[in-house]
Amino acid sequence: MLINDPETMAQLQKAFAEYEQALVSNDVPTLDRLFWNSPHTLRYGAGENLYGFDEIQAFRNSRPAKNLDRTVLRTAITTFGTDHGVANIEFSRPGSDRIGRQSQTWVRFADGWKVVAAHVSLMT
């Protein structure tokens, strides 16, 4: 299997950077576009478990659009073949001593890279 093909890696890094910018700026349409629109998509958040695109979209539309700034401390992205990859980061938020962790599984569909599963957690 082809691991970390440079072209595939560049494409996934670009999609991930777009996701990160959309997240901290609360660009919900872009966040929605970057998640697979499927009942099979899931997102485990720091305080919620969301099953299916509709629950994820409802969460994004209802959360406060403040205190979203964060600093990415470490990024690890790995691609498998040309259509699958995982992205993991550690992050911190201003005013908090907790370290956040985010894991995403990405798949390339005909209309681009999409998150099919995500998990966010915080450490003390």
Side-chain angles (χ1 to χ4, degrees):
M1 175 176 284
L2 185 62
I3 306 294
N4 289 343
D5 167 62
E7 182 178 334
T8 305
M9 177 65 78
Q11 293 167 358
L12 183 52
Q13 287 172 329
K14 181 179 177 187
F16 179 79
E18 183 179 13
Y19 172 87
E20 185 65 22
Q21 178 57 41
L23 183 70
V24 298
S25 64
N26 202 42
D27 179 353
V28 175
T30 297
L31 293 170
D32 286 347
R33 181 176 51 78
L34 291 172
F35 267 70
W36 182 34
N37 190 342
S38 168
H40 302 293
T41 305
L42 65 89
R43 179 186 177 277
Y44 294 149
E48 66 285 333
N49 294 329
L50 306 171
Y51 294 90
F53 179 85
D54 291 344
E55 288 186 15
I56 296 166
Q57 185 180 50
F59 168 79
R60 294 228 189 267
N61 284 322
S62 67
R63 77 175 178 167
K66 58 182 181 177
N67 300 324
L68 298 176
D69 290 337
R70 64 186 190 178
T71 300
V72 175
L73 304 172
R74 189 170 186 171
T75 303
I77 297 176
T78 305
T79 62
F80 302 90
T82 58
D83 298 318
H84 300 90
V86 293
N88 296 279
I89 64 167
E90 291 181 28
F91 64 89
S92 64
R93 293 199 184 277
S96 175
D97 61 350
R98 300 180 82 184
I99 298 295
R101 299 173 294 179
Q102 173 183 290
S103 298
Q104 298 171 326
T105 303
W106 291 75
V107 174
R108 184 201 326 251
F109 292 91
D111 59 343
W113 286 96
K114 309 287 183 185
V115 175
V116 299
H119 186 186
V120 179
S121 61
L122 297 169
M123 296 178 5
T124 54

